[in-house]
Structures are given as C-alpha cells and as structure tokens.
Amino acid sequence: MHTHTTLMMATLTKALKPILGRQLGNTAKVFGAAVNSQRGKPTYAGQIIPPPAKYGGRHTVTLIPGDGIGPELLNHVRELFRFCCVPVDFEVVHVNSALTSEDDINNAIMAIRRNGIALKGNIETNHIMPPNHKSRNNLLRTSLDLYANVMHCQSLPGVQTRHKNIDIIIIRENTEGEYSSLEHESVSGVVESLKIITRNNSLRIADYAFKLARDKGRHKVTAVHKANIMKLGDGLFLQCCKEVASGYPDIEFDSMIVDNTTMQLVSKPHQFDVMVMPNLYGNVVSNVCAGLVGGPGLVPGANYGRDYAVFETATRNTGKSIANRNIANPTAMLLASCLMLDHLKIHDYANMIRGAILTTMNETRLHTVDIGGQGTTSEVVQSIMRIIQSGGPLTTEI
Amino acid sequence: MSISARSALVLFPTRLQPWTGLNNLKSPAVCCQRKKSSHTPPPAKYGGRHTVTLIPGDGIGPELLNHVRELFRFCCVPVDFEIVRVDSSASSEDDINNAVTAIKRNGVALKGNMETNHNLPPSHKSRNNLLRTSLDLYANIMHCQSLPGVPTRHKDIDVIIIRENTEGEYSSLEHENVSGVVECLKIITRVKSLRIAEYAFNLAREKGRRKVTAVHKANIMKLGDGLFLQCCKEVAAGYPDITFDNMIVDNTTMQLVSKPQQFDVMVMPNLYGNVVSNVCAGLVGGPGLVPGVNYGKDYAVFETATRNTGKSIANKNIANPTATLLASCLMLDHLKLHAYAKMIRKAVLRTLSETQLQTVDLGGQGTTSEVVYSIMQEIQRGGPRTTEQI
C-alpha cells in the first residue's frame, strides 16, 4: 500500500515535471541573460537551495528598507502593489547600519536565500566607524555572490537633459576588484589597498555581458579598463573579455581606457552600446551615465547572481539629506520594482506599472525637485495610481 | 643717464635672481630649492636665454611641439629647446633616463605623451609614469575653464583639479601569487597625502579660492582613502578661511555632469584625479583645449592635461594645438616671461573664438597649421614682435 502511493507520487511528479520544470529551471531572460538558476536542485557543495517562494500563486519577496529615502520609497512601492493587487508579499527585514554586530545583515541574507529575490534601499556606510565594520551592502553582494550589476541607462523623453536618446547598458563586476575591503597598514603611515582581479570572475562577467548583448540584440560590447597602468590586473580582465568575445563573432568587441571613456561619455555618449567593466570603473561610469540621463532618481539597477537577484536604484544613494521630506524621486525605486516583477515573470503587472510611470514622466510631466519640477513624492505616486485606474480593471487575468 | 640704462640698472639685480622671486602664478609654496641644494644645478639661464627640455613623445606630440617651436621662434621668445627623444617601444630604459637627466639639468620641460603599449610585458613600465616618479612631480594641476567661443553644453565652468601624481593606483605594484588571481596594490601614504593637501590649500589661498573639495571613496577603502581624507582634514584646520568639503567619487562625477559650477578647487588621489580631470576636460570642450602642469619641489613639466597620444590623428594636420600652446604659456609664466606668455595666450584665445578656424574636434574645419598661422598673424597685429623684457 505504502509503495503503491509512492509509485503513484513518482508517476505524478514525472507527469507534472514539464510544468514544474519550467518554474524550477527558470531562465531569467527578460532583463538578466540566460542565468540558469539552481533553485530546487542540490548543488555540487551538497547544499540544497530552497525552491522559489511561490505559494498559492503569490510570491514572497524580501524587502530591506535601508536608510535615508529607502523606507519612504519602499512604502510607496508597497502601497502601489497593494493598489494594483500585485500577487507579491513582502517580508520586511530591517538592517540597522549603526550596529557593529553583523546579525542584522546575516538575517537579511538568510531571508534572501529563502525567497530568492529582494528589493532594497541603500544601507548607509558610516566611514567614521572602525575599518573592521564592513559595508553592509558589500557584505550582502559578496555573500550572495551577486556577480553582475546591470544598469540600463535610457533617456526619458519627458525629462530635460543636455543629451538626448541615450541607451547604454552598463554591466559591472559586483564582487571583486577594488571592493574587496582588503587593506593593511604594515608600516605606519603607509596603507596598501588590494585590488583583486581573478580569471574566473572576469570570465564570468564577460560571458554574462555577451549573453545579455546577444539576448537583447545589441551589436557592440566595450570593455573599460586601465591596462596601460595596471598591466597584470586590468590586463587579465581585458584578456578574459577578448577570449569570451571570440565565441560571439556576431557581436563587435571594443576596449577603451577609463579616462577616455568618461571624456567620451560627456561629449558623445551615443557611441556606446553595452559596456562591461570591473567594480570601481563601473561605479564611476554608471554614475556619470545616471547624471547624463537626468540624475540618481531615475535609473533602476539590478544585481544578479546565479541563484539570487536583488533590485535597487542604480546609483545606490542613501539620500539622507532629503529623507522624510516627501521630495525624493520615486521613479528609480518603482522602475526597480517593475524589473523585479519581470524577473518573477508577472509581466502584465510590470508593464502596467511601467507604462503608468512613463506616462507620468513624459506626458503629464509631473516631476520632482531633482529633475526641475515641483511635485512631491506622494503626488507622483498618486498620479501613477490614477493612470493605472483609468487604464482598466485593477485585477488583470493572468 | 638715459632712461633705458637707468631702468636696466633697476632691473638688473632682480634679473640675476629669478629663483628667489616669490610665488609665481602657478606654483605657490614650492620654494625652489635649486640654488640651495648641493646636488641640483642652478637654473639653466645663460645670457638671458632659458634652456628647456623638450620631449616630443608619440602621436600628435612631435607635430604640435614643432608648432610651439615655430611660434616661439616667430615671437623671439628667449627659450632654447633641448630635444630629447624617447622611443616608447624600446625595452631599455636608457632613453627615459636621459630625458630625466636632461630635466634635472634644465629644471623645466615641455613634453608630449609617450605611448604605453599594453601588449608589452608587465616589466616594461609606463615611460610617463617613470618620469613623474623619478622627478617626484607630486602635484598635477589642471585648471579647467570654459573658453569663450567654444560650443559646450555647460557654461561658466572654473574648476582647479589637483591630483596626487606619484602614488595611489599608479604604483605599478602587481603580482600573481596564485594563477588566475591578480593583486594590484594601491599605496596611500601619510607623507604624500599631507604634501598634496598642503599644496592644494596653498594654491587655493594664493588664487583667492574659497572652497576645497576632497574626492575619495572612503566608505569602501576605509584605510586608504580614509587616511587621505584625514590628512586633508588636518591641513584644512590650518586654513580657516577656506571651506573644506568632501565628496565620494561616484557622486562627484554625477554632480560634475549635471552641476559642475558647484566645484571650486578639488584635491584627490591619482586614479580619481585621472577620471575627474577627463570628465572636466570633456565638459569644457575636449582634450585639445586644456593644458596641465606637473609640479615637483624642484622641477616642473608641462603637457596637455589629458595626456592623449592621439595616434589616430597623428600627422594629419587636424590636431588641436590649443592645449599644447597654452601649456607652453604656462611654462613661460613659470620662467617669469610673463609678457610673452600673455601675448601668446591672448592670441590663442582670440583665434579660438573665431569659429571658422576651430579644428575638427570642436566641430570646425580648420587645420592645425591654419590655426597656428592665424595665431601668428594675431601676434603680429598686436605690435612689434620683440617687446621690452620686464
């Protein structure tokens, strides 16, 4: 009797495999490239990563409010999701950046491992604290091995900028490089900071970049480096990019030194298509691009790992000086939540919200202070909700 | 006694000791130690003519420096150039060592950029870098100003960027202990950070500037950039009349492309200086417009601010000579030949504002030789070529 049941279960599972398999072996194709998630399968190390957190048709996503403008903007996200009846529940994990103990951030990491996806605000790193107090954001990225930071920089037609029609994808290595937090002071008054470049991580990020370029139909990938000075380090990065490039003959590969890149970006940004680079240059270049399309309040960013994805604003600002004053621009955070919905494959909701945001930006032109308008955060969110309501019934049939 | 003889008498004593002359326009408290040290020779000035080392470099360097020489000859500037060629592809370091010796001899140099081929083995160090570290040219100054007549998206930019020139990420110290894992060392020392901060505040004071901003990434590189920031704060305490501010490099670059007018004087370590100075050069019109200076305690080397080789436009007569010519004016200021410097600078800026003569990089159609010719005409129009020396 017992064996009969197990046999039935086995055949049932086998029959359902194609349906289940589609979810388990999900390939994040829309924004991230074909990153085959290992969720639900035992890894080589023997640890089993739990299956996606989807029960009864509702997803569970970790929410880390962070500091500064994070909490208020993420509240707006939750308000909007509730209004649109998006089938996402948020598991809120607070991280106190002032504490020295790492328990908070470890809890957050555990929650993300459980749920697979997170939406976060930036956690402040106070640089007056002692050096052993590591950056919480950095800890999160390295523990979850979120190796690719993708930022899609697009000019919004309704926003006044000096450059028009910019469309650049920036892929930045997210775990090593200058952010390894390895420093020492062997001799008093002389500090050595180590910048680590490894072959594995460089190959991995280059592969990701070319896959993404191919998936999105892009024609050129530019590697940004400083190999004339850091010959071994950036030389290795460049070499790995070249090796991967040879496997993608349909995509043109180019390389440029970082100082020339930044100069070209401020004069002729249209020459760039997809850019791949190590950590620090990625930081600078993504901030330059964010400045070109209108500021830190407009661009969403995504951090992808093999098994996890964390969404946040691209320039990772805490915005302490404008916190709780209802003047922060919610666009970046809301677009990041749309990216998250795309990742969860609930495209209808994502497109609905994204459409409403873009309509508010471009047609209604309700802008916040940072892009030259006079609207408050709540006014913008209200406008988005009104547009969604006028677009049709709140609940859409999936 | 005739007037000229009397004035000659008055002028004579000051002319004999140019080096004790106080802070010149560009290098304030770098009190020249040249006469005092027993090892550095006195300034290379004989019979009223200065000798300056000229390093042509690669790419557009040789042709632009030829134009400089041509212009100087035309204006009868009392400067003779000692040309030292450096072959960037030769693996031996003799060439660059000769150049360094020549600069030690003359004290001042004007150079083009020497190409660093990154396909050569890592033991082949960057020639420019070797020059900077051997001569301890610790401060790189770039004065970024919006020039009238040049079409740009941003107006009224006036930023001075002071970049630490000898350490930081450019120490060329790398190793591969484990195969496939490379460690690059970024060195920040207290002594050098204090030195560059001191230089920055002194310069700000000399030029009547009100704010100094330190650019760093101390939230990630806590010890390294933390030390740099701390040194800046210590020096700032001694200059209460100047506001001190600090900003993280990513925010700085973002602010630069949206609101560059908020910056006044900026001081930073080597790599950030490289990026920020290139962003600023892009904002005011491109690499062909901004001159740069490298100052050490005893030596000064002048070049274009963004240090481009310009290989793709070499020998095509389309390069913009403005940056190199303005750099040579800075050199003349350093040598205290202010009248010549002013004359050439005025002519260069006048020519720049004439849109038909702008070179390709500014959107015009002029050639390099046309621009230089126009500058010469402008100078000729301004009065007799030889002016009574101050």
Side-chain angles (χ1 to χ4, degrees), chain B residues 34-35 37-44 46 104-106 299:
Chain B
R34 283 173 70 74
K35 193 149 191 285
S37 162
S38 54
H39 298 291
T40 36
Y46 308 102
K104 286 194 180 161
R105 191 168 47 235
N106 296 324
Y299 312 110

Side-chain angles (χ1 to χ4, degrees), chain A residues 141-210:
Chain A
R141 290 191 293 263
T142 44
S143 317
L144 297 169
D145 201 25
L146 302 169
Y147 64 91
N149 180 332
V150 184
M151 168 178 161
H152 189 176
C153 218
Q154 274 174 308
S155 294
L156 297 175
V159 180
Q160 275 273 47
T161 50
R162 293 184 174 89
H163 303 263
K164 314 271 171 235
N165 300 328
I166 296 179
D167 193 355
I168 303 175
I169 299 181
I170 298 169
I171 298 160
R172 158 189 176 187
E173 212 291 329
N174 217 6
T175 48
E176 57 172 19
E178 297 81 350
Y179 287 53
S180 30
S181 302
L182 295 167
E183 302 178 287
H184 62 170
E185 195 169 349
S186 298
V187 177
S188 158
V190 178
V191 175
E192 292 181 342
S193 302
L194 281 103
K195 161 179 165 163
I196 317 280
I197 302 269
T198 54
R199 192 169 170 71
N200 285 341
N201 286 350
S202 304
L203 283 174
R204 195 166 62 160
I205 195 70
D207 206 45
Y208 187 92
F210 278 90

Side-chain angles (χ1 to χ4, degrees), chain A residues 80-108:
Chain A
L80 188 67
F81 275 24
R82 178 132 290 207
F83 179 80
C84 305
C85 304
V86 176
V88 168
D89 293 315
F90 286 110
E91 179 188 345
V92 182
V93 185
H94 290 277
V95 176
N96 189 342
S97 52
L99 294 179
T100 43
S101 119
E102 292 190 0
D103 286 344
D104 269 355
I105 192 67
N106 286 333
N107 288 340

